[in-house]
Amino acid sequence: MRLTVNNQPIEIDADPDMPLLWALRDLAGIKGPKFGCGIAACGACTVLVDGAPVRSCSLPVGAVDGDVTTIEGLPEGNTLHVVQQAWLEMQVPQCGYCQAGQIMSAVALLEEVDEPSDADIDDAMSGNLCRCGTYPKIRAAIKQAAELKTKLGA
Amino acid sequence: MSRLAMIVVLAAISAPALVSIGAARADGLSEWATIHKVFSHPRCANCHVEDERPRWSGDHYGGAGMHGFNIKRGTDGSGFGNPGQRCAVCHFEANSGKPHGPPGAENWHLAPAEMAWFGQSSALICAQIKDPERNGDRTLEEVADHVRSDPLVAWGWNPGPGRQPAPGSAEETYRALLRWISFGAPCPGT
Ligand code: FES
Ligand code: FES
């Protein structure tokens, strides 16, 4: 089976029913997306398929129809994505386990909404749980990323 | 003809007609009862809400509640959720095979708010179904076809592990709708 992940074609030998997360982590060695719940209830495994966020623990790899982007695919060369830059500036992570998923959802939100309000952020991010309670920093970092994005015209 | 005689004559003419109208209404209402059991079932009603929030209700939910994760209809009113959290983040083309995993079907989304069924009376749901302004501008025959052929509607009878399916089948509901229509599509309490 052939997938495109982070602009790279990859060949994997997977049962089509295997969750995309398993294929990424165990077969392709792409460990950014995390396993938290396996039932689309925590957001740790969030990746993008053709730019749209999906919970990769619950999407069968055989049903993937498009290019997959994981957090490893966000930087352009040595330049971090604006959302990653904002995350660094605001020092968002605590343990870090949920953060790859948080960032992927934030990227998706900012693709659609240039200047998200608190309500927009709540509406977009409530499926991404954080046991460490970094929510206020996530909110601040999304706003920071929105500003950065506008400034850079990214 | 005396007034009394006229009443007797009129009653004699119209009684059979009245009996048959009454019988058709009773038969129609019995078909509607079958249809209503489907429409008011959690598998159907949970996503036919008048507000912004799909519901989680049904046998294994331990009471009706809002869908988790602050899931909403969508600020664009589309029924497909909000930026960053569209329904399709979790709801794919097929059911997750895991207990409590996300159910899936093509085109997963909330029904428009004017098609509200959740918590509504049978009479109100019936009136809604018959009103083109609130049924997607469909004739009743088109409503029946929609029930028979729409993949998202069909999900109600194939809801994935641990979820109670809607009663009967799409085909049985379609046939009940056709019979209800043939009996004049009566609504309870009207
Ligand atoms: S691991 Fe996929 S949502 Fe929790
Ligand atoms: S930073 Fe620890 S779970 Fe979110």
Side-chain angles (χ1 to χ4, degrees):
Chain A
M1 180 180 298
R2 216 174 155 77
L3 286 179
T4 304
V5 183
N6 302 330
N7 295 322
Q8 302 292 319
I10 59 169
E11 196 67 47
I12 49 169
D13 181 14
D15 185 315
D17 285 337
M18 174 185 274
L20 171 61
L21 179 63
W22 279 226
L24 291 172
R25 290 185 57 88
D26 297 347
L27 301 184
I30 297 169
K31 301 282 175 74
K34 298 291 187 280
F35 173 85
C37 66
I39 53 168
C42 78
C45 64
T46 306
V47 303
L48 308 179
V49 176
D50 280 349
V54 296
R55 306 291 188 241
S56 64
C57 68
S58 297
L59 179 63
V61 66
V64 174
D65 184 17
D67 292 359
V68 178
T69 308
T70 70
I71 191 153
E72 289 89 342
L74 287 185
E76 301 236 352
N78 289 329
T79 310
L80 291 177
H81 189 282
V82 286
V83 174
Q84 293 172 303
Q85 292 176 35
W87 242 248
L88 263 182
E89 280 177 34
M90 304 307 290
Q91 288 290 291
V92 176
Q94 289 294 314
C95 80
Y97 199 79
C98 70
Q99 297 292 336
Q102 304 280 4
I103 288 173
M104 299 316 281
S105 289
V107 167
L109 167 63
L110 290 170
E111 281 301 317
E112 288 197 69
V113 184
D114 291 338
E115 287 180 44
S117 63
D118 284 353
D120 292 330
I121 294 171
D122 291 347
D123 286 344
M125 303 295 295
S126 296
N128 287 87
L129 307 186
C130 174
R131 295 169 302 177
C132 303
T134 60
Y135 303 112
K137 289 193 169 192
I138 290 170
R139 189 189 298 286
I142 290 175
K143 292 190 171 173
Q144 172 88 346
E147 269 177 40
L148 269 173
K149 215 174 160 181
T150 314
K151 207 157 75 190
L152 300 172
Chain B
M1 199 184 288
S2 74
R3 205 168 147 180
L4 181 64
M6 198 145 104
I7 289 169
V8 169
V9 168
L10 276 179
I13 293 168
S14 56
L18 280 176
V19 168
S20 73
I21 289 170
R25 180 175 161 80
D27 288 343
L29 286 177
S30 135
E31 299 298 344
W32 171 256
T34 304
I35 299 158
H36 175 251
K37 273 199 191 98
V38 175
F39 289 2
S40 59
H41 190 276
R43 291 295 82 71
C44 303
N46 281 346
C47 287
H48 275 264
V49 294
E50 63 181 340
D51 58 15
E52 302 302 296
R53 309 284 300 273
R55 298 303 198 274
W56 280 350
S57 82
D59 266 4
H60 75 292
Y61 286 100
M66 300 293 175
H67 188 303
F69 321 120
N70 195 29
I71 297 299
K72 295 192 188 144
R73 179 179 301 283
T75 46
D76 58 2
S78 66
F80 285 86
N82 275 310
Q85 229 180 198
R86 306 274 181 212
C87 307
V89 173
C90 303
H91 296 286
F92 307 120
E93 304 258 308
N95 292 320
S96 160
K98 301 194 192 92
H100 307 288
E106 207 177 292
N107 217 17
W108 196 271
H109 67 289
L110 270 189
E114 65 269 18
M115 300 183 189
W117 299 348
F118 189 90
Q120 305 284 348
S121 69
S122 176
L124 280 174
I125 296 176
C126 189
Q128 182 264 304
I129 285 294
K130 291 173 69 170
D131 178 1
E133 301 267 309
R134 294 181 289 154
N135 76 4
D137 198 20
R138 293 177 171 99
T139 63
L140 286 179
E141 286 76 11
E142 285 166 344
V143 169
D145 280 339
H146 175 68
V147 167
R148 175 153 79 163
S149 55
D150 186 85
L152 185 50
V153 174
W155 171 87
W157 291 279
N158 173 31
R163 285 177 209 95
Q164 186 191 52
S169 68
E171 188 62 28
E172 280 169 41
T173 311
Y174 166 74
R175 290 186 185 288
L177 276 158
L178 291 190
R179 288 192 299 269
W180 174 64
I181 295 165
S182 76
F183 291 128
C187 284
T190 52

